[in-house]
Amino acid sequence: MSKAKPPSRFIYFTVTLLLLFCCFVSAMSSEPDVDDEDDLKAYEELLALDEEEEQQGPQVKSAEAEAEVLSKAQRIVIELNTDNTKRVINDNEFVLVLGYAPWCVRSADLMPRFAEAATALKEMGSPLLLAKLDAERYPKAASSLGIKGFPTLLLFVNGTSQAYTGGFSAEDIMIWSRKKTGSPTIRLASVAEAEEFLKKNDMFVIGLFERFEGPYYEEFVKAATADNEIQFVEASTTEVAKVLFPDIKPKNHFLGLVKSEPEKYSSFEDSFEKDKILQFLEYNKFPLVTILTEHNSMKVYSSPIKFQVFIFAEANYLKNVILPLQDVARKFKSKILFVYVDIAEDNLAKPFLTLFGLEESDDTVVTAFDNRINSKYLLESDLTPKSLEEFCSGLLNGTLSPYFKSEPIPNNKGAIVQTIVGRTFDDLVLSSPRDVLLEVHTPWCLNCETTNKQIEKLAKHFKKLDNLIFAKIDASSNEHPKLQINDYPTLLFYPSGNKSNPIKLSTKSSLKDLAAFINKNVKGVEDKVKPPEEKATKDEL
């Protein structure tokens, strides 16, 4: 390691003293000349620099201190390699291993949080050892541990591995690790301990028990063990518990959830059973309005709250409306999950907006999902507290009309193959008095182009047939409740007399096979279209 450079303020101070000494000697020996003036100017510049350094000092020190903390944390994490991996795993009761690759962005993102968790766990006296392994540099060691992707977290208990199932913030890693390698709860015995705990924790469960025994306490510990995200703490006196949950009511047993947001305190009012405690946490752990991030996305997607409202807007917009949004969310607490998504975050916003055909939108968009029946909804009026509340009430009551995306209605004048969109599916397919042969396709479908050419040839061949429509619909941009297709391309024949039961045709059928099907199932073919073999000109059919 190179020697540390002397602080810049020390350099300036030393130079300043030398200049002052030179000026002093010069003043004693002669009158000021040009050189003296230059020295004086330099001295003034140094003073100005020193003053600037003084003003910037706290920021510089803060950055240096932060870097030192990270450096210290990274030193705590052991670096594994081919030679020491087996020894470290076998010689320690608990080892949490992070398998990473230097080029992996997610690995780089996780590394400082992993190091931060290592520091916190060491300060708490945890027996857990945290280690990291460059799986690309040491592939044999990675293979022996079962590391296949990046990043991978594995907990080894006496040499046996188990998958990591917690979150990916430093706090998530710390809480999960403590629960798996020690007591699932923290016991607070004094007001001072409770106050110190409150300074360091934003979200936790507080349990108050007259004695740390009995069926209620046992269910509390079971829930603490089963939960992987939230720290559980326990106290035996109301005085200690009140530090964490001020509105606690004296009773033999109590459980409450504390969060650092407007809806800070939630009391558990159900019977003390592990599953009911866990359900209470699942329905109350999120803020009134959750800001979606890469780190919490999986928690949001897996929430048991089946009604979810997503607000897509610019970050500045949220700052102006967060309070009224929270007021509406409070009325539907634990019934609807409210999620804000920064519309500029493509990775988070676009997958949702694409479902509504609004992926290019820059405007505020409010959507909803009923995950019980896989239905989606769109607020088509301006977003106001009143319109949002009515939208949410309709979602809960089942009175909202599901949203099906559709392209604009096209001009089909003169087209041999009609283009169907979501808005015209009823009129041009289901309500049409004619038979309809429909091709369902998507832009990314490799075989759709071949099928499309076949339909065009068929349409030209049967163009004189008045009671048959050839049509196509892009399923990536258009939806309809009676068009549930997952395989592309798909060919559907809708008979005029039974539109509710379309006939699915094989897309591997030849042109002659498809023509034979039309000849057999469409009325009036013999009057309008000559059989292919009787045509004078060559026909591809």
Side-chain angles (χ1 to χ4, degrees):
M1 293 179 64
S2 61
K3 293 183 180 180
K5 294 181 180 179
S8 56
R9 289 189 61 193
F10 177 78
I11 295 172
Y12 292 142
F13 180 70
T14 304
V15 173
T16 301
L17 284 178
L18 288 172
L19 284 171
L20 282 172
F21 179 75
C22 292
C23 289
F24 176 75
V25 172
S26 177
M28 292 294 291
S29 60
S30 64
E31 293 294 321
D33 55 17
V34 176
D35 292 334
D36 293 330
E37 290 177 4
D38 288 343
D39 284 344
L40 184 60
K41 184 178 179 182
Y43 168 61
E44 290 172 348
E45 289 176 353
L46 284 169
L47 283 179
L49 285 170
D50 196 35
E51 184 178 351
E52 183 180 344
E53 176 73 13
E54 185 73 33
Q55 292 173 350
Q56 294 180 352
Q59 296 177 358
V60 173
K61 285 181 180 178
S62 175
E64 289 175 352
E66 198 172 307
E68 176 59 27
V69 169
L70 179 58
S71 176
K72 179 184 175 183
Q74 289 173 336
R75 290 196 297 272
I76 292 172
V77 178
I78 293 178
E79 189 79 52
L80 299 179
N81 54 47
T82 304
D83 298 327
N84 69 0
T85 295
K86 187 175 180 180
R87 185 178 71 253
V88 170
I89 297 297
N90 292 338
D91 291 354
N92 293 276
E93 183 181 8
F94 303 112
V95 184
L96 183 64
V97 176
L98 167 61
Y100 71 95
W103 47 261
C104 172
V105 175
R106 290 184 179 275
S107 294
D109 189 36
L110 180 58
M111 197 77 74
R113 285 179 265 129
F114 187 73
E116 187 181 341
T119 302
L121 287 163
K122 185 172 183 178
E123 290 174 353
M124 296 171 72
S126 170
L128 177 67
L129 186 70
L130 273 71
K132 60 184 178 181
L133 173 67
D134 183 340
E136 186 177 68
R137 186 176 180 183
Y138 305 108
K140 288 185 179 179
S143 177
S144 70
L145 298 183
I147 295 171
K148 298 176 181 178
F150 313 113
T152 293
L153 281 171
L154 293 172
L155 174 65
F156 289 84
V157 180
N158 294 319
T160 302
S161 71
Q162 57 179 277
Y164 177 82
T165 56
F168 295 98
S169 69
E171 185 179 15
D172 289 335
I173 296 170
M174 183 184 68
I175 290 173
W176 187 92
S177 300
R178 282 195 76 259
K179 290 190 175 190
K180 299 299 180 184
T181 60
S183 172
T185 69
I186 294 176
R187 184 170 296 177
L188 302 175
S190 67
V191 168
E193 287 182 5
E195 289 174 342
E196 190 62 26
F197 175 85
L198 192 58
K199 291 177 185 177
K200 298 178 181 178
N201 294 272
D202 296 327
M203 181 176 178
F204 53 87
V205 174
I206 170 66
L208 173 63
F209 303 93
E210 191 175 4
R211 295 184 181 85
F212 299 124
E213 59 184 28
Y216 296 135
Y217 179 68
E218 289 172 3
E219 292 298 312
F220 173 78
V221 174
K222 287 178 184 176
T225 305
D227 179 85
N228 289 322
E229 299 177 36
I230 307 174
Q231 183 62 63
F232 281 56
V233 294
E234 57 190 40
S236 60
T237 67
T238 304
E239 183 184 22
V240 173
K242 270 184 173 291
V243 174
L244 306 179
F245 203 107
D247 296 332
I248 195 170
K249 296 177 183 178
K251 52 175 74 174
N252 292 335
H253 56 275
F254 171 85
L255 185 144
L257 174 64
V258 180
K259 298 177 291 184
S260 60
E261 60 129 348
E263 202 69 16
K264 190 168 185 177
Y265 304 104
S266 301
S267 299
F268 177 66
E269 305 293 348
D270 211 333
S271 58
F272 262 67
E273 298 174 23
K274 182 196 79 172
D275 291 341
K276 290 186 177 180
I277 293 172
L278 293 175
Q279 185 181 49
F280 163 76
L281 297 180
E282 285 291 339
Y283 278 80
N284 290 277
K285 68 183 179 183
F286 287 102
L288 289 173
V289 178
T290 298
I291 298 176
L292 190 69
T293 65
E294 293 282 0
H295 302 315
N296 68 9
S297 58
M298 289 309 299
K299 294 179 185 178
V300 171
Y301 302 152
S302 61
S303 170
I305 303 177
K306 300 303 180 184
F307 295 110
Q308 301 183 353
V309 170
F310 283 71
I311 300 104
F312 301 86
E314 293 181 349
N316 289 334
Y317 178 83
L318 179 67
K319 294 176 184 177
N320 298 326
V321 300
I322 186 64
L323 292 179
L325 283 179
Q326 288 174 340
D327 288 340
V328 175
R330 190 174 286 108
K331 297 176 182 179
F332 300 94
K333 184 185 173 186
S334 77
K335 295 178 181 177
I336 296 177
L337 181 63
F338 287 78
V339 183
Y340 160 76
V341 187
D342 185 345
I343 205 165
E345 293 283 349
D346 282 353
N347 289 342
L348 297 172
K350 274 202 173 181
F352 287 99
L353 294 174
T354 300
L355 295 174
F356 294 82
L358 300 171
E359 57 269 30
E360 302 303 324
S361 176
D362 293 325
D363 299 326
T364 298
V365 176
V366 179
T367 68
F369 299 89
D370 181 350
N371 291 328
R372 302 170 310 163
I373 56 176
N374 294 322
S375 291
K376 62 181 184 289
Y377 309 88
L378 178 69
L379 177 64
E380 302 197 50
S381 60
D382 292 337
L383 174 59
T384 65
K386 183 180 179 182
S387 67
L388 181 60
E389 185 173 344
E390 290 174 350
F391 183 65
C392 293
S393 295
L395 178 64
L396 281 182
N397 298 330
T399 57
L400 290 183
S401 297
Y403 179 83
F404 297 97
K405 63 182 177 181
S406 174
E407 292 178 297
I409 297 175
N411 181 3
N412 281 317
K413 187 176 181 180
I416 314 176
V417 179
Q418 301 282 302
T419 298
I420 308 294
V421 297
R423 296 175 190 173
T424 61
F425 189 83
D426 278 324
D427 291 339
L428 298 184
V429 177
L430 299 182
S431 300
S432 172
R434 296 188 281 179
D435 298 322
V436 179
L437 182 60
L438 178 69
E439 175 201 357
V440 186
H441 65 94
T442 64
W444 60 81
C445 164
L446 296 177
N447 298 320
C448 285
E449 186 176 352
T450 300
T451 303
N452 183 264
K453 288 179 179 177
Q454 283 185 314
I455 296 301
E456 287 181 353
K457 290 174 183 177
L458 285 170
K460 289 177 182 177
H461 180 72
F462 291 102
K463 64 183 178 181
K464 294 182 180 179
L465 202 58
D466 297 331
N467 53 341
L468 174 63
I469 297 174
F470 288 89
K472 61 182 179 181
I473 184 169
D474 181 352
S476 69
S477 303
N478 300 279
E479 298 172 326
H480 191 277
K482 292 186 178 179
L483 185 68
Q484 303 296 323
I485 303 295
N486 296 313
D487 186 27
Y488 310 105
T490 290
L491 284 178
L492 297 172
F493 179 74
Y494 290 83
S496 57
N498 189 8
K499 292 295 179 72
S500 59
N501 291 298
I503 301 169
K504 187 174 181 179
L505 305 179
S506 173
T507 54
K508 294 181 180 179
S509 301
S510 66
L511 278 170
K512 288 186 178 180
D513 289 338
L514 292 173
F517 175 86
I518 293 172
N519 287 331
K520 181 179 178 181
N521 291 275
V522 178
K523 294 179 181 180
V525 174
E526 63 278 1
D527 300 328
K528 294 283 184 178
V529 183
K530 292 182 179 181
E533 60 270 17
E534 294 181 13
K535 292 185 72 173
T537 59
K538 256 189 176 182
D539 195 303
E540 294 184 55
L541 295 176

